[in-house]
Amino acid sequence: MKGCVNALGYIGLEISDLADWRAFASGELGAQWVDREDGTADLRMDDYASRIRLHVGDADDLAYIGWEVADAAALAALAQRIEGAGFEVERPGTELARERRVYDLIRFRDPEGNAHEAFYGALQRTDQPFVSPTGAHFKTGAQGLGHVVLSVRDDQAMTDFFTDTLGFRLSDYIQTEVVPGRPLRITFLRCNGRHHSLALAPVPLPKKIVHIMLETRSIDDVGRALYRCMAAGRHLSFTLGRHSNDEMLSFYPVSPSGFDVEYGWGGLEVEDHSWHVVTHDTNSAWGHVYQRPPRPAKPENN
């Protein structure tokens, strides 16, 4: 389909605690931290100059999602498709493109107001190779950064937007109680060989983002990160487990901004010609036990 998204390219986050994010993302998860002149930071996971951009602010939530397309013609075709569907497209030009470390981009919003960008020509720092401070190696390349799960109100309208307008394909559904007592159906969408680059969860959360997922190339990277997070006292929303649909072996530490980061290995790769859509009745084949957040300590009476 002409003008389709190829991969999740980058994510922008607005965060309030830069120091704790550095300890978490770099020291515990193994991303490479790169300070920027404006006092914020890029997180690298491969030869791309930036995979996660950290902006300082009070929201502690998603700022924008950047979707990668093949080239200038694909970007123009995608802009035409989005406008044809009745959504406004902004063409911010070279200044923002330079800020995002890409050649060109457009901006638009989905039916629920989340900010998205589409781009091509990401800057590769081949003269400055990616070096993880923990020795981690991440699975990116043609499959992109990983995946992002959004909290949605109208999952059908959002599914229609991403499939009909941006060219995503439906992978499957999970219909279960991820958190005990809260039944829901999660929709999983793909744009390349990764089982899903986007999932839509109709959960009443105060944040736009449910979690982001980073995939490593070694099960040992997951185990080492798990024990670093535990040693640092990070709360795990879900313990180590393997998902039923994409077969990812992962755990879920809570980020300093209050949403989860899934950290995993062994995700399923999908071939369009042989894939068929099913509904799973459980979130995980094993593990991923939900752990309630600890209650704040009560102040002592003087």
Side-chain angles (χ1 to χ4, degrees):
M1 188 185 297
K2 188 176 180 182
C4 285
V5 164
N6 287 350
L8 174 59
Y10 56 75
I11 292 175
L13 301 174
E14 183 179 332
I15 65 167
S16 61
D17 192 334
L18 202 63
D20 201 10
W21 261 96
R22 182 165 192 160
F24 173 65
S26 187
E28 295 161 35
L29 303 186
Q32 183 179 0
W33 184 278
V34 180
D35 289 312
R36 296 181 64 121
E37 293 180 356
D38 62 0
T40 59
D42 290 316
L43 295 178
R44 294 185 63 192
M45 286 153 218
D46 54 15
D47 59 356
Y48 277 31
S50 180
R51 284 296 192 177
I52 299 178
R53 175 76 195 282
L54 301 176
H55 303 263
V56 176
D58 296 329
D60 276 316
D61 202 353
L62 179 71
Y64 51 83
I65 303 174
W67 302 105
E68 188 165 11
V69 301
D71 51 28
L75 188 66
L78 181 61
Q80 187 175 25
R81 288 169 59 86
I82 295 169
E83 290 175 326
F87 295 89
E88 182 179 353
V89 173
E90 178 186 352
R91 295 167 175 82
T94 57
E95 184 174 349
L96 186 61
R98 190 180 304 111
E99 165 77 8
R100 297 287 192 265
R101 305 188 188 283
V102 301
Y103 195 81
D104 196 12
L105 79 163
I106 59 173
R107 302 196 77 192
F108 55 95
R109 292 186 180 272
D110 64 34
E112 297 197 356
N114 299 300
H116 298 267
E117 299 171 358
F119 71 92
Y120 77 96
L123 176 64
Q124 293 193 345
R125 285 288 172 84
T126 50
D127 62 331
Q128 300 175 31
F130 164 70
V131 178
S132 167
T134 65
H137 295 84
F138 295 94
K139 185 175 182 179
T140 55
Q143 292 192 1
L145 166 59
H147 73 237
V148 58
V149 181
L150 295 178
S151 172
V152 301
R153 298 181 299 275
D154 188 337
D155 56 337
Q156 190 58 59
M158 290 285 279
T159 299
D160 291 345
F161 174 77
F162 284 100
T163 55
D164 297 345
T165 305
L166 302 191
F168 283 70
R169 281 90 71 197
L170 176 64
S171 289
D172 50 35
Y173 303 101
I174 290 179
Q175 189 158 340
T176 188
E177 294 182 4
V178 177
V179 176
R182 299 179 185 177
L184 78 160
R185 188 188 73 174
I186 308 172
T187 303
F188 296 85
L189 304 172
R190 69 183 186 277
C191 54
N192 53 52
R194 191 184 292 279
H195 176 273
H196 61 282
S197 294
L198 175 68
L200 306 173
V203 290
L205 294 178
K207 296 184 184 294
K208 304 171 187 175
I209 191 169
V210 178
H211 73 254
I212 58 176
M213 188 281 294
L214 310 180
E215 184 176 4
T216 68
R217 294 188 176 275
S218 166
I219 191 173
D220 291 327
D221 285 335
V222 175
R224 292 179 180 121
L226 172 61
Y227 279 89
R228 285 193 298 269
C229 288
M230 291 170 62
R234 300 286 173 195
H235 178 71
L236 305 184
S237 288
F238 297 93
T239 62
L240 187 70
R242 187 182 287 276
H243 281 304
S244 58
N245 62 343
D246 71 349
E247 301 180 7
M248 187 77 71
L249 186 150
S250 61
F251 71 101
Y252 288 73
V254 179
S255 74
S257 293
F259 54 80
D260 291 348
V261 174
E262 181 184 5
Y263 197 86
W265 165 85
L268 186 68
E269 296 189 10
V270 172
E271 295 183 357
D272 285 339
H273 70 275
S274 61
W275 188 256
H276 64 285
V277 176
V278 297
T279 299
H280 297 263
D281 66 355
T282 181
N283 185 48
S284 301
W286 58 267
H288 287 145
V289 177
Y290 174 67
Q291 301 190 119
R292 294 185 181 277
R295 293 181 178 179
K298 294 182 179 180
E300 296 182 4
N301 295 326
N302 294 328

